[in-house]
Amino acid sequence: MRLIKRPNVIEDAKKFPQDIQEAVKIWCDVVKKAQWQHLDDIRKTYDRSVDLVENFLIFNIKNHRLIVGFNFQAQIVYYKYLLTHDEYEDQKWKDDPYFKKQSKKTS
């Protein structure tokens, strides 16, 4: 897959401890080699947990959350945020203009 904003994720990781920086670099390598078509593919090839929250993927990297947008058909992952667990829990990342809450259907 093509990782958009790879330099940004590497730069953002620099403000965290070395183990996080190394884990982010490994994540970047995994993404580069991947040919994911859906969430199950990620869960089969990525050795840590990943969740789908609306139209973003949330990768757990140790006690941090790496948030990306994605387009499986185009084979693109768009880096958005690298956050501590507390920053993630604040949910300010959901204010991102590309974050789309799914509308709830009424019966």
Side-chain angles (χ1 to χ4, degrees), residues 55-73:
N55 63 323
F56 282 1
L57 292 169
I58 314 298
F59 289 86
N60 295 311
I61 299 195
K62 299 190 179 267
N63 57 345
H64 291 69
R65 303 296 176 264
L66 197 154
I67 302 172
V68 300
F70 62 94
N71 182 325
F72 289 132
Q73 185 175 355

Side-chain angles (χ1 to χ4, degrees), residues 64-103:
H64 291 69
R65 303 296 176 264
L66 197 154
I67 302 172
V68 300
F70 62 94
N71 182 325
F72 289 132
Q73 185 175 355
Q75 289 289 288
I76 295 174
V77 171
Y78 305 88
Y79 168 67
K80 292 293 195 170
Y81 307 100
L82 178 60
L83 306 172
T84 65
H85 182 71
D86 288 341
E87 290 171 325
Y88 173 78
E89 289 295 317
D90 284 344
Q91 298 191 15
K92 291 179 183 173
W93 57 273
K94 289 184 177 179
D95 295 333
D96 185 285
Y98 292 100
F99 182 77
K100 295 181 182 149
K101 293 182 180 179
Q102 302 296 322
S103 62

Side-chain angles (χ1 to χ4, degrees), residues 1-3 26-48 50 57 59 68-77:
M1 296 197 76
R2 188 168 153 219
L3 176 57
I26 291 168
W27 177 85
C28 288
D29 290 342
V30 168
V31 170
K32 184 178 179 180
K33 295 174 187 173
Q35 294 182 353
W36 298 322
Q37 294 297 316
H38 45 74
L39 185 59
D40 286 341
D41 287 344
I42 299 170
R43 289 183 172 150
K44 288 176 187 171
T45 60
Y46 185 67
D47 66 347
R48 290 181 174 75
V50 59
L57 292 169
F59 289 86
V68 300
F70 62 94
N71 182 325
F72 289 132
Q73 185 175 355
Q75 289 289 288
I76 295 174
V77 171

